[in-house]
Amino acid sequence: MKIISVFNNKGGVGKSTLSFHLGKALGLMGKKVLFVDLDPQCNLTISAMRENELENIWEEENPYIDDFEDTKDKNSQGFVKIMNKTRSIHFLLKPTEDGINDIEQLPPARTVSENVYMIPGRLSIHQFENKISERWSGLYQSDNLSIRTITCIRRLCERYAEILDIDYVLVDTSPSLGILNKTIISTVDGFIIPAQPDMFSLYGIRNIGNSLDSWGKELEVIYRLISEEKREKFPKKFVQFIGYTLYNAKKYDGDNEYQLADAHYSYAKRIPQIINQYIKSANKIKVDDIDMPIAGGAIIHTHNTYPSVAQALKCAMWEVPEVFTKLQQTEPQYLQEQMIDVNRGSFGRYRDIKDKYVEFATDLIKRTEAL
């Protein structure tokens, strides 16, 4: 099992869209995937479930987010009932946040599709981030609660992976370089950078590299101060760089291998140099084409409005024709309310997208074998 994050310091690069479609492609290939949504914006979550379903999850959890132990003690039967249903990531982290015992028996993850599962996000995750800030310094004193707080996301991933026989956990994050992402990235196995071919992505990669350097050095000090037993709660190696992909780029009939406009192509060619210069603390996996985008040019071009249509339908882009046709028969009112209309003449183009993501997922599998 590998825990992987799709991460960039620049927002708007299609990080959640890439994560969702990568997971769905891996599922098609027979790999079992768990999405964990740790981005407060919850874009990955709303790619897979309708807002009213998510609202119901949050509504049930609200008293526990306010005071987990007191609510549980006052309504033990109610606790048993809600634990039989999917819970958000913040709910699952709340016992650690409050310094009480972890949940003994985990609630079920939500089934997204065959082989694909999800732990939904929650806007209130900033409360857990605040607790990380308070407890981080305790790592230097080998404080048990501090270590438990910093490693509990990884621990949850491992527990669900064991229950569901997961091959890949895909963790979605915000573009921030704050302490929540510091904790996430420092305790996953590897990460991918999706990058648009522009100046902002180049600077985002620089920022990631500088932060990784700082985080890696800090953890080296912490590991020397804690016991071997406590060290085992962290990954054996500091996070590794799996690769990057050009993503959400405008397609032009340019005279280059990526079919980009000259200005964008010049930035695309600089990305490997920036990665080699700044991504140093995270060891790069040893594959021959590490300086090339994952799967070459398979998924680099923008899909225009297709991702927004797929998100509204709660499916992958290549599933849009079937899902849209079914909803026309079963829930036409939902399509009207969401103002979703799909031209049947574009069905073929939607379906063709699947092969591109399978190609991307195939290369990713090869690369993760080197982790």
Side-chain angles (χ1 to χ4, degrees):
M1 186 274 295
K2 305 298 183 188
I3 307 174
I4 297 169
S5 180
V6 181
F7 182 57
N8 196 332
N9 184 221
K10 179 186 182 295
V13 296
K15 177 173 52 60
S16 299
T17 301
L18 174 58
S19 299
F20 182 71
H21 286 84
L22 168 60
K24 293 282 282 187
L26 287 166
L28 284 176
M29 299 167 70
K31 302 296 183 182
K32 288 195 173 183
V33 177
L34 175 68
F35 293 126
V36 178
D37 193 350
L38 280 155
D39 183 351
Q41 295 184 19
C42 301
N43 286 325
L44 181 59
T45 299
I46 61 175
S47 294
M49 67 170 64
R50 295 184 184 181
E51 284 77 359
N52 61 339
E53 180 186 356
L54 184 60
E55 183 178 10
N56 289 337
I57 290 173
W58 288 0
E59 282 288 335
E60 288 182 329
E61 294 177 354
N62 283 340
Y64 296 89
I65 298 299
D66 290 336
D67 191 326
F68 194 97
E69 189 170 36
D70 185 60
T71 304
K72 178 184 174 184
D73 289 344
K74 287 181 179 178
N75 188 7
S76 57
Q77 290 184 342
F79 181 74
V80 171
K81 184 178 178 181
I82 73 162
M83 290 298 287
N84 289 324
K85 294 182 285 186
T86 298
R87 304 269 54 100
S88 75
I89 186 62
H90 188 200
F91 178 94
L92 298 171
L93 296 172
K94 189 65 182 176
T96 301
E97 180 184 313
D98 289 352
I100 58 177
N101 291 335
D102 284 343
I103 298 168
E104 291 185 10
Q105 187 169 348
L106 292 174
R110 185 187 185 278
T111 300
V112 175
S113 56
E114 185 178 5
N115 295 326
V116 183
Y117 306 89
M118 169 173 280
I119 305 301
R122 189 178 167 107
L123 286 169
S124 58
I125 194 66
H126 69 275
Q127 296 177 26
F128 180 71
E129 182 169 24
N130 292 339
K131 196 60 64 174
I132 295 174
S133 298
E134 293 176 16
R135 294 177 183 164
W136 186 272
S137 61
L139 295 176
Y140 292 92
Q141 284 78 46
S142 196
D143 175 69
N144 287 328
L145 182 55
S146 297
I147 292 172
R148 184 179 151 209
T149 302
I150 305 310
T151 60
C152 65
I153 293 171
R154 182 177 181 87
R155 186 168 65 251
L156 266 174
C157 293
E158 291 172 339
R159 290 179 68 188
Y160 271 106
E162 185 175 356
I163 294 167
L164 297 168
D165 194 24
I166 294 296
D167 297 297
Y168 293 93
V169 179
L170 298 181
V171 181
D172 197 25
T173 65
S174 73
S176 164
L177 290 171
I179 198 161
L180 176 59
N181 282 355
K182 174 182 180 179
T183 298
I184 296 167
I185 301 302
S186 296
T187 55
V188 299
D189 298 313
F191 71 102
I192 302 164
I193 298 178
Q196 290 178 326
D198 59 23
M199 177 189 70
F200 297 101
S201 282
L202 294 185
Y203 274 87
I205 294 168
R206 289 185 185 209
N207 291 343
I208 291 172
N210 290 333
S211 295
L212 285 170
D213 188 48
S214 173
W215 300 345
K217 290 176 181 177
E218 192 171 357
L219 284 170
E220 282 181 10
V221 173
I222 291 166
Y223 294 157
R224 289 198 295 268
L225 296 173
I226 63 178
S227 66
E228 282 296 318
E229 182 181 0
K230 292 177 179 178
R231 172 67 179 89
E232 289 178 0
K233 299 179 186 295
F234 294 84
K236 292 181 179 179
K237 293 182 178 181
F238 187 57
V239 63
Q240 295 179 272
F241 175 69
I242 299 171
Y244 76 98
T245 180
L246 298 170
Y247 199 62
N248 206 25
K250 291 182 180 180
K251 185 176 182 179
Y252 291 94
D253 293 327
D255 186 22
N256 56 71
E257 68 268 36
Y258 299 137
Q259 292 184 281
L260 299 174
D262 289 344
H264 291 167
Y265 182 67
S266 66
Y267 283 115
K269 296 299 286 184
R270 290 170 60 190
I271 289 175
Q273 173 195 342
I274 296 296
I275 287 173
N276 285 326
Q277 184 176 354
Y278 288 93
I279 308 294
K280 295 178 180 177
S281 292
N283 294 325
K284 302 179 185 68
I285 57 170
K286 294 180 180 179
V287 294
D288 293 337
D289 53 355
I290 190 67
D291 289 334
M292 300 296 293
I294 299 172
I299 61 167
I300 70 174
H301 298 121
T302 178
H303 301 299
N304 297 314
T305 60
Y306 288 12
S308 60
V309 173
Q311 188 180 79
L313 294 174
K314 312 305 173 189
C315 65
M317 287 181 274
W318 56 83
E319 297 172 324
V320 163
E322 286 68 35
V323 172
F324 178 74
T325 301
K326 181 180 178 180
L327 288 176
Q328 279 186 313
Q329 299 168 355
T330 59
E331 295 186 73
Q333 185 178 355
Y334 176 77
L335 295 177
Q336 292 174 2
E337 290 172 352
Q338 300 297 315
M339 294 183 289
I340 304 169
D341 190 20
V342 182
N343 183 344
R344 289 183 175 273
S346 64
F347 277 8
R349 292 193 293 275
Y350 275 103
R351 293 189 179 106
D352 289 344
I353 293 171
K354 178 173 70 175
D355 293 339
K356 300 294 186 181
Y357 280 92
V358 168
E359 184 180 349
F360 183 85
T362 300
D363 193 11
L364 178 80
I365 291 170
K366 182 188 76 173
R367 289 178 181 232
T368 56
E369 289 173 353
L371 279 171

